[in-house]
Amino acid sequence: MNRSIPLLLLSLIGYNAHCFGQTSACVSNELIVQFRSGAPLLGAQCATCTGLESVDRLNSAMGIVAIERIVASRPQNEMKARPETDGLLLLRYSTAIDPDKAIAQYMATGEVQFAEPNYLAQGSAPPPITPNDPHHYPRQWSHFNDGTFNGTSENDADIDMREAWEITTGSVGVVAAILDSGFKLDHPDVAGRIWNNSDEIPGNGIDDDGNGRIDDHQGWDFVNNDNSPMDDHGHGTNVAGLLGATGNNGIGYAGVDWNCKLMICKVLNSSNSATSANMTAAFYYAVDNGADVVNMSIGGSGFSAAMQTAINYAYANDVVIVACMMNFNNAVTYYPAGYSNVIAVGATDTNDERVAPFFWDPTSGSNFGTHIDLVAPGNYMYGLNYSSNTNYNSYWGGTSQASPIVCGVAGLIKALDPTLGADSIRSILMATADDQVGDPAEDTPGWDQYHGAGRLNAYAALDLVRQRLPKSVAIKVFLGGPYDTGTALMHDSLRAAGLVPLTEPYSSLGYVFEGESGQAISPTVLAVQGNNAIVDWVVLELRPGDATTSITASAACLVQRDGDVVDLDGFSVPGIHAPEGNYHIAIRHRNHLSVLSPAPSSLSMTGTLVHDFTAGSAFGSASQIEVSGIHALWPGNTNGDGEVKYTGVNNDRDVVLVELGGVLPTNVVSAYDRSDVNLDGRVKYTGIHNDRDRILVTIGGTLPTAVVHEQLP
């Protein structure tokens, strides 16, 4: 079967073989236009007027009949980098237009940022075949393949889904948007799983949440512009079921993600065709309403700037978009898979080879090319039926079916670690894919244009995320500068003076984190007084048990008066992103000498790694100062060179003098500065509690030429 748009549909919409200088199908009497002025005054003078004289004159000459804003939705939460969409309009004319000529005319007005045809796309799989095989779960060879599914099956040519479910089956807090032909919303295999817009009151005829859609309590139909995204084709129900049918419920099939919410956005019509205008609007709707992952089992050959902008908006907000490569067995780029910031997925067969052909057409095959990221199972994919709640005998084949498998795993990753962004998830999926499992002529070592990074391995992806999830590390440490023998606590003068910064200070000093940097804390963290008051920022490091000079992970933390190192909320045990294993622990401070635990300890998901430096257990000899039986970090390393010196080149005393101006030693400067060895918020060279004497005490107080060296490997 040729996967081009059906001739009947083409006769209805008007196929133009020269859309914008290329052979891409489009709606013959429509244009998408982005105005520079943001929001034209639609309808102020007439129903088809914009208030822009040059544009209205052109519209009239071309026979304009309707103008619609493409994006009606508004973010329900604060979002990053949202484009101005009020000026993104769909123009509809009474007859077919020459798009190249029309675009040139609109651009000549000076009011338009870009104009483009309303391109067409289609779902990438043909109608399903219904065999008589009564078995359900054994049909899902993509999850577990023992080589018996059909005559070409190979053992373990699957994504290790059974093993992956032992790690997680998903979270109700993850929202997966499916932009497709809709869904059978009442299907029992997804009962309670359809995304619900809690800010919308169903059936009252009011846009309660102001997102531009009336009564959209369970998604939206962008084809018919209503709140009932029911499937009238079948493609969307199969795709959504592969991603999210509830597992272990005794009904039908097991989707990849058993718990996520399914946000249904209908963009494909009953003839399996979609427009770029509707897809663009659906992207904004999904992101604005809280989608975490988006599946697009659709493809068209026309590049849309409007859709690329929408995808970039999703990417800026860490929404993962997965799309299919299409099924023409060639290297032609189809969109949205071809857009940057989209994970492009090809399909493999029961033998782990790229599908060529699919069961429905001997000329078909999984597309390939330079934009492919990875592949996943996509042939003979049994699933849910859009016209029946009890028929489980239909199967589909196409990259359309591979895409939701990958998207489902992306949702499981989000469930494990919601902090991971789109780039990180893409990297994880590709880094853990199984390479060289297909035809050696195509599946060559490393990335290749047929399989990308390899065939999806759900277990390996989730295990990598699990290994790098934050793990608890409970540390106790004293800083010698602010330590008070009278209270056996550190003083919190920096905090009391309002000098502790809200953003970690170590990046600006040149420290390179193995992990996230630039973290910030809430001002309320610094309002706490007493033993748990914050003294200052520190850096927590994990170093391998067999390689103490390398750093596996590091994190900015806070230290309280009683020596507890806490997370950025000011009270929790720190969580650090590192694989399970044996580690030495290091603590750094900006003007104290660092310290390392003497022996490695076990870090795991279930336990808490504990170490008390105040008890004196540290790497090296005299690596901390001892005060009345309590151990603390050596204070006075004002220039950050790993040693405390009173005289000679690069000594720490002169740094204090320079901070004061170098000419009047009796000066006092209030500052959050490395020269403040006592951490009292004042840099002093003379007088009581001065910082020069603290350096002298560190080196011994009797031999000014002595040096105390940091014993961190």
Side-chain angles (χ1 to χ4, degrees), residues 477-483 485 592-595 613-619 621-636 644 677 693-701 708-709 711:
V477 69
F478 282 134
L479 307 176
Y483 183 72
T485 56
H592 286 60
L593 297 182
S594 304
V595 66
F613 285 107
T614 69
S617 178
F619 177 84
S621 175
S623 57
Q624 295 188 87
I625 187 172
E626 184 178 350
V627 184
S628 300
I630 296 298
H631 291 76
L633 303 191
W634 292 105
V644 180
V677 179
D693 285 350
R694 195 68 190 86
I695 296 171
L696 194 60
V697 169
T698 291
I699 65 170
V708 176
H709 296 280
Q711 296 182 42

Side-chain angles (χ1 to χ4, degrees), residues 238-319:
N238 176 268
V239 165
L242 292 174
L243 189 157
T246 305
N248 203 33
N249 65 347
I251 303 173
Y253 294 105
V256 171
D257 189 321
W258 298 359
N259 292 290
C260 71
K261 296 298 183 181
L262 304 174
M263 180 188 290
I264 308 301
C265 300
K266 179 175 171 60
V267 295
L268 281 170
N269 64 17
S270 60
S271 299
N272 199 35
S273 180
T275 68
S276 56
N278 283 341
M279 289 188 287
T280 297
F283 270 121
Y284 281 103
Y285 180 91
V287 179
D288 288 346
N289 286 283
D292 296 290
V293 296
V294 177
N295 185 75
M296 283 284 285
S297 292
I298 300 174
S301 59
F303 177 94
S304 166
M307 204 187 308
Q308 176 70 84
T309 302
I311 288 169
N312 290 345
Y313 169 52
Y315 171 79
N317 288 280
D318 286 328
V319 178

Side-chain angles (χ1 to χ4, degrees), residues 180-474:
D180 215 287
S181 65
F183 187 72
K184 196 174 193 309
L185 299 173
D186 63 349
H187 202 291
D189 210 3
V190 292
R193 300 278 308 290
I194 302 300
W195 170 76
N196 177 263
N197 184 355
S198 59
D199 295 326
E200 193 75 23
I201 300 173
N204 67 355
I206 299 173
D207 181 12
D208 299 289
D209 59 0
N211 74 349
R213 309 293 177 181
I214 296 174
D215 291 341
D216 62 319
H217 63 286
Q218 53 182 2
W220 193 256
D221 181 345
F222 292 86
V223 176
N224 301 297
N225 197 31
D226 60 42
N227 68 340
S228 181
M230 291 292 288
D231 192 355
D232 53 9
H233 178 267
H235 188 269
T237 298
N238 176 268
V239 165
L242 292 174
L243 189 157
T246 305
N248 203 33
N249 65 347
I251 303 173
Y253 294 105
V256 171
D257 189 321
W258 298 359
N259 292 290
C260 71
K261 296 298 183 181
L262 304 174
M263 180 188 290
I264 308 301
C265 300
K266 179 175 171 60
V267 295
L268 281 170
N269 64 17
S270 60
S271 299
N272 199 35
S273 180
T275 68
S276 56
N278 283 341
M279 289 188 287
T280 297
F283 270 121
Y284 281 103
Y285 180 91
V287 179
D288 288 346
N289 286 283
D292 296 290
V293 296
V294 177
N295 185 75
M296 283 284 285
S297 292
I298 300 174
S301 59
F303 177 94
S304 166
M307 204 187 308
Q308 176 70 84
T309 302
I311 288 169
N312 290 345
Y313 169 52
Y315 171 79
N317 288 280
D318 286 328
V319 178
V320 180
I321 298 176
V322 184
C324 65
M325 289 287 293
M326 297 297 283
N327 309 320
F328 300 100
N329 200 24
N330 60 36
V332 174
T333 299
Y334 287 86
Y335 301 96
Y339 293 119
S340 57
N341 302 325
V342 172
I343 299 174
V345 180
T348 55
D349 217 329
T350 58
N351 59 1
D352 251 347
E353 295 183 3
R354 179 179 69 92
V355 182
F358 292 98
F359 65 82
W360 42 267
D361 188 336
T363 66
S364 65
S366 177
N367 272 27
F368 47 92
T370 57
H371 60 294
I372 191 171
D373 289 298
L374 73 164
V375 291
N379 206 14
Y380 301 103
M381 304 297 284
Y382 284 89
L384 308 184
N385 191 295
Y386 80 110
S387 61
S388 171
N389 286 342
T390 57
N391 180 1
Y392 296 106
N393 293 325
S394 61
Y395 58 81
W396 296 63
T399 56
S400 272
Q401 280 58 52
S403 179
I405 299 294
V406 173
C407 192
V409 174
L412 294 180
I413 291 174
K414 277 281 191 181
L416 272 183
D417 189 351
T419 68
L420 289 174
D423 280 340
S424 295
I425 291 177
R426 184 183 208 156
S427 297
I428 290 166
L429 291 171
M430 295 179 68
T432 56
D434 288 334
D435 191 22
Q436 292 183 271
V437 294
D439 182 351
E442 292 187 347
D443 195 2
T444 55
W447 182 93
D448 60 72
Q449 66 169 334
Y450 298 101
H451 295 77
R455 192 252 302 121
L456 172 71
N457 187 315
Y459 172 76
L462 295 179
D463 187 52
L464 178 61
V465 176
R466 175 178 62 176
Q467 288 291 332
R468 296 189 177 277
L469 281 173
K471 299 171 181 67
S472 298
V473 182

